Amino acid sequence: EDSYFGSYSHFGIHREMLQDKVRTDAYRDFMMSNKALFHGKIVLDVGCGTGILSMIAAQCGAKKVIGVDNSKVLYNAMEIVRENKLESTVTLIKGKIEDVHLPVQKVDIIISEWMGYFLLFESMLESVLFARDRWLSPGGKVFPDKFSIHVAAFDDEKMWKSHIGYWDDVYGFQMGCMKKAATAEAVIATVNSEAVLTDSCLVKTIDVESISEKELDFESDFQLKVLRTGSCAGLVGYFDVEFNGDNAKIAFSCSPSSTPTHWQQTVFFLPKPTITSQGDIIKGKIACKRNHRALEVDVTICSGLGKDYSLKYYVQ
Amino acid sequence: EDSYFGSYSHFGIHREMLQDKVRTDAYRDFMMSNKALFHGKIVLDVGCGTGILSMIAAQCGAKKVIGVDNSKVLYNAMEIVRENKLESTVTLIKGKIEDVHLPVQKVDIIISEWMGYFLLFESMLESVLFARDRWLSPGGKVFPDKFSIHVAAFDDEKMWKSHIGYWDDVYGFQMGCMKKAATAEAVIATVNSEAVLTDSCLVKTIDVESISEKELDFESDFQLKVLRTGSCAGLVGYFDVEFNGDNAKIAFSCSPSSTPTHWQQTVFFLPKPTITSQGDIIKGKIACKRNHRALEVDVTICSGLGKDYSLKYYVQ
């Protein structure tokens, strides 16, 4: 756990997150266009990092902003808040949200950028739910508030070969066991929108204001309509994010057809690319559960790809 | 330490290393073109990973090859060796080289791919030196055998701005302390060969057959001749690798003018880009020491950049 929080004091990671314009613009645009929501309010920023969201909330009229983070970057955030003369509004606390004592009874709004790969990998969502249950006043709001996870099928023979087929012949050696192991490892990568073969299927929605921790593990059937004939290399998973403000709604998507984010997409390769024809329906089931630091994703496919598949993946 | 060895069981990492053709081709070409050296010999592969180098050594006529690795990928390597029917020649042992007992008295040749960023970051060189002192027979060989570390100055305003200048204005906020911290963090990146402003200066050579562990920390003066007027963004560090076989010598370089490798280059940014003129000589000193998992690199510059610098970096 030390190394997890330690790694977030690598400054390059914070730069990459801040420079992800899709991500940071969405938070800023949401707050800037919903100033009435923040005016005079007490705001809690869970996992505040460099403090950027806390400072924007202060700029948008919050009476008091409390940022909490257990990474050493919090010490930098303290200096940043002073550099920007916001220390009378923004209070920063180093620690886990589960352990710290806030200098208020309750907060009016929780903001957090907790999302991980495939939304739920190494995410801080549990911490946000803890903060909601412990610190949010009745009728309080959490932003972003709504999330959805989607899957589609794609073809990209070259990508499949580079990641999976590669192990069939490594400098003349067979590495079949690596091929099997590599297939089970979900890959974080950017899938070309033109490689998408099917429509998308929504497999999970999360309303942060009401979901419970045990509902984070999910199981869902999916149906994907094949839009053109191609060689299916696997499934691509991604998530969408919504901020439903009173005044303006802001959303962004991590889908292959949207501007790439640092979350990219999550790829679940098939053991072997499989031809699928326009008009076919790929039917299956996806189950996702948290297991320590990894996400376990079970995918079964029961029609549309010529044969049945029952595959186990890890996002790690 | 668990997580270090754990991370190497992410299969993507092994694929990336194997797919680094400059790296893997060099090892293969060296062994293939020096078969007489390997014929009938006992070979030890320190940090054998998937076992690729062990298997090539077996193919090149080694009588016995012992591969040692403490990562879980060793279990895959065992299966790979069987898949390729080399189990009568290649023996794999899971453990730290410092702890394991080999089934031989001594070995004739040690091979290892131990190199890290800026050569010495998180490298297994200490383990290779341990193996040399404990297990290599008198007159035995270690490959690759010679390494050198070099620095040059470069200009790339865009790269400097993206990594360092960025912190001056992050969505309208000043983050001066992050700028300072980011400057101290050496960046692993590929520097365009056209961005190099000066000749290169050799700052360290390593002869693996004779160097001692305490000689790995080093200090060296450098002089860089400015080949064209430009705005120096910092120093770029890289390393070269040599296999001096009896029959054929193989070498590769990780310099900006060579085919990129997964090691890329290591960039030490200046706090501010500084004009330097053709014909100037940039003079300074670099000191590099291992500090737990990080490398501490101290750079002083005493002429050629208008002002003196005394900078501390971490490769981490």
Side-chain angles (χ1 to χ4, degrees):
Chain A
E1 203 153 74
D2 259 9
S3 84
Y4 173 69
F5 289 116
S7 77
Y8 275 75
S9 63
H10 278 226
F11 301 98
I13 290 171
H14 293 282
R15 187 175 49 77
E16 274 170 43
M17 291 194 296
L18 290 164
Q19 286 180 339
D20 179 344
K21 269 181 73 67
V22 170
R23 162 198 181 273
T24 314
D25 282 6
Y27 280 86
R28 183 204 50 186
D29 293 349
F30 160 67
M31 289 190 264
M32 289 291 184
S33 55
N34 286 285
K35 285 189 179 168
L37 205 55
F38 285 86
H39 189 79
K41 296 290 172 53
I42 301 176
V43 177
L44 171 61
D45 178 0
V46 179
C48 64
T50 56
I52 182 92
L53 303 183
S54 293
M55 295 191 294
I56 295 173
Q59 270 187 337
C60 289
K63 181 171 71 182
K64 184 172 198 63
V65 185
I66 302 161
V68 178
D69 203 306
N70 198 29
S71 155
K72 278 182 268 178
V73 78
L74 203 273
Y75 299 124
N76 295 81
M78 287 173 172
E79 208 170 323
I80 290 167
V81 165
R82 285 191 297 269
E83 269 187 77
N84 293 281
K85 304 196 189 337
L86 289 167
E87 65 269 37
S88 61
T89 311
V90 178
T91 301
L92 298 175
I93 301 173
K94 183 170 187 299
K96 293 189 197 182
I97 188 70
E98 291 81 359
D99 299 337
V100 299
H101 183 76
L102 304 191
V104 294
Q105 290 291 315
K106 291 283 175 184
V107 304
D108 302 305
I109 297 177
I110 292 173
I111 53 172
S112 183
E113 198 281 75
W114 55 265
M115 297 87 83
Y117 296 130
F118 200 53
L119 189 59
L120 297 173
F121 174 60
E122 281 202 346
S123 84
M124 294 184 309
L125 180 51
E126 284 100 325
S127 296
V128 174
L129 301 187
F130 174 91
R132 177 197 68 189
D133 296 340
R134 170 66 186 84
W135 295 106
L136 192 65
S137 61
K141 298 279 188 185
V142 184
F143 295 106
D145 53 325
K146 289 200 170 57
F147 298 85
S148 54
I149 300 177
H150 308 258
V151 296
F154 75 105
D155 72 347
D156 190 331
E157 190 89 11
K158 206 177 141 190
M159 193 179 180
W160 184 90
K161 276 193 176 145
S162 164
H163 282 83
I164 309 297
Y166 175 73
W167 297 108
D168 280 333
D169 177 358
V170 179
Y171 284 83
F173 298 105
Q174 296 165 47
M175 299 199 178
C177 66
M178 291 297 280
K179 188 179 180 181
K180 208 172 150 192
T183 305
E185 199 171 74
V187 170
I188 307 304
T190 300
V191 172
N192 195 314
S193 65
E194 279 145 42
V196 175
L197 276 177
T198 64
D199 59 359
S200 286
C201 185
L202 172 72
V203 294
K204 177 70 176 172
T205 57
I206 289 178
D207 181 334
V208 177
E209 286 173 6
S210 61
I211 200 166
S212 67
E213 194 189 320
K214 68 177 179 351
E215 292 172 291
L216 299 182
D217 294 339
F218 68 91
E219 200 176 297
S220 173
D221 292 324
F222 61 82
Q223 285 207 9
L224 302 168
K225 188 176 174 181
V226 180
L227 303 174
R228 64 174 171 81
T229 298
S231 175
C232 177
L235 298 183
V236 52
Y238 63 88
F239 61 92
D240 293 348
V241 179
E242 289 177 34
F243 302 77
N244 293 286
D246 290 345
N247 188 48
K249 297 183 193 312
I250 300 287
F252 68 91
S253 172
C254 300
S255 86
S257 58
S258 305
T259 306
T261 69
H262 77 284
W263 289 287
Q264 303 183 74
Q265 287 93 40
T266 305
V267 172
F268 306 97
F269 284 111
L270 289 180
K272 206 175 150 65
T274 309
I275 293 291
T276 186
S277 303
Q278 191 176 343
D280 279 0
I281 305 286
I282 301 174
K283 286 188 193 173
K285 181 178 287 213
I286 182 168
C288 179
K289 69 168 187 240
R290 294 155 299 148
N291 183 352
H292 301 283
R293 295 277 298 280
L295 275 186
E296 261 181 58
V297 180
D298 291 308
V299 174
T300 55
I301 293 175
C302 60
S303 77
L305 289 178
K307 61 171 286 198
D308 292 358
Y309 286 102
S310 179
L311 302 161
K312 185 178 269 303
Y313 298 95
Y314 295 91
V315 182
Q316 60 184 9
Chain B
E1 203 152 75
D2 258 11
S3 83
Y4 173 70
F5 290 117
S7 77
Y8 275 76
S9 64
H10 278 225
F11 301 99
I13 291 172
H14 292 283
R15 188 176 48 78
E16 274 171 42
M17 291 195 295
L18 290 165
Q19 286 181 340
D20 178 344
K21 268 181 72 68
V22 170
R23 163 198 181 273
T24 314
D25 282 6
Y27 280 86
R28 183 204 51 186
D29 293 349
F30 160 68
M31 289 190 264
M32 289 290 185
S33 55
N34 286 283
K35 285 190 179 167
L37 205 56
F38 286 86
H39 189 78
K41 297 289 170 53
I42 300 175
V43 177
L44 172 62
D45 179 359
V46 178
C48 64
T50 55
I52 181 93
L53 303 183
S54 293
M55 293 192 294
I56 296 173
Q59 270 188 337
C60 288
K63 182 171 72 183
K64 184 170 198 64
V65 185
I66 302 161
V68 178
D69 204 305
N70 198 30
S71 154
K72 278 183 267 176
V73 79
L74 203 273
Y75 300 123
N76 296 82
M78 287 173 172
E79 207 169 324
I80 291 168
V81 165
R82 285 191 297 269
E83 269 188 75
N84 293 280
K85 303 194 189 340
L86 289 166
E87 65 268 39
S88 61
T89 311
V90 179
T91 301
L92 297 175
I93 301 173
K94 184 170 186 299
K96 294 189 196 181
I97 189 71
E98 292 81 358
D99 299 336
V100 300
H101 183 75
L102 304 191
V104 294
Q105 290 291 316
K106 290 284 174 180
V107 304
D108 302 305
I109 298 176
I110 292 172
I111 53 173
S112 183
E113 199 281 76
W114 54 265
M115 297 86 83
Y117 295 131
F118 200 52
L119 190 59
L120 299 172
F121 174 60
E122 281 202 347
S123 82
M124 293 184 310
L125 180 52
E126 284 100 324
S127 296
V128 174
L129 301 187
F130 174 91
R132 177 197 67 189
D133 296 340
R134 170 67 186 84
W135 295 105
L136 192 64
S137 61
K141 299 278 188 185
V142 184
F143 295 106
D145 52 325
K146 289 199 169 58
F147 298 85
S148 54
I149 300 177
H150 309 257
V151 296
F154 75 104
D155 72 346
D156 190 332
E157 191 90 10
K158 206 176 141 191
M159 193 179 179
W160 184 89
K161 276 192 175 144
S162 164
H163 283 84
I164 310 296
Y166 176 73
W167 297 108
D168 281 333
D169 178 357
V170 179
Y171 284 82
F173 299 105
Q174 296 163 46
M175 299 200 179
C177 67
M178 291 298 280
K179 188 179 179 181
K180 208 172 149 192
T183 305
E185 200 170 75
V187 171
I188 307 305
T190 299
V191 172
N192 196 314
S193 66
E194 280 144 42
V196 176
L197 276 177
T198 65
D199 61 357
S200 285
C201 185
L202 172 71
V203 294
K204 177 68 174 172
T205 56
I206 289 176
D207 181 334
V208 177
E209 286 174 4
S210 61
I211 200 165
S212 66
E213 194 189 319
K214 69 178 179 350
E215 292 172 291
L216 298 182
D217 294 340
F218 68 91
E219 200 176 297
S220 173
D221 292 324
F222 61 82
Q223 286 206 9
L224 301 168
K225 188 175 173 184
V226 180
L227 303 174
R228 65 174 172 80
T229 298
S231 176
C232 178
L235 299 183
V236 51
Y238 63 89
F239 61 93
D240 293 347
V241 179
E242 289 178 35
F243 302 76
N244 292 285
D246 291 343
N247 188 49
K249 298 182 193 312
I250 300 288
F252 69 90
S253 173
C254 299
S255 86
S257 59
S258 305
T259 306
T261 69
H262 77 284
W263 289 286
Q264 302 182 75
Q265 286 93 40
T266 305
V267 172
F268 306 97
F269 284 111
L270 289 180
K272 206 174 150 66
T274 310
I275 292 291
T276 186
S277 305
Q278 190 176 344
D280 280 359
I281 305 287
I282 301 174
K283 285 187 195 175
K285 183 178 286 215
I286 182 168
C288 179
K289 69 169 187 240
R290 293 155 300 147
N291 184 351
H292 300 283
R293 295 279 298 278
L295 274 185
E296 261 181 59
V297 180
D298 291 309
V299 174
T300 56
I301 293 174
C302 61
S303 78
L305 288 178
K307 60 169 286 197
D308 292 357
Y309 287 101
S310 179
L311 303 162
K312 187 179 269 303
Y313 299 96
Y314 295 90
V315 183
Q316 60 183 9

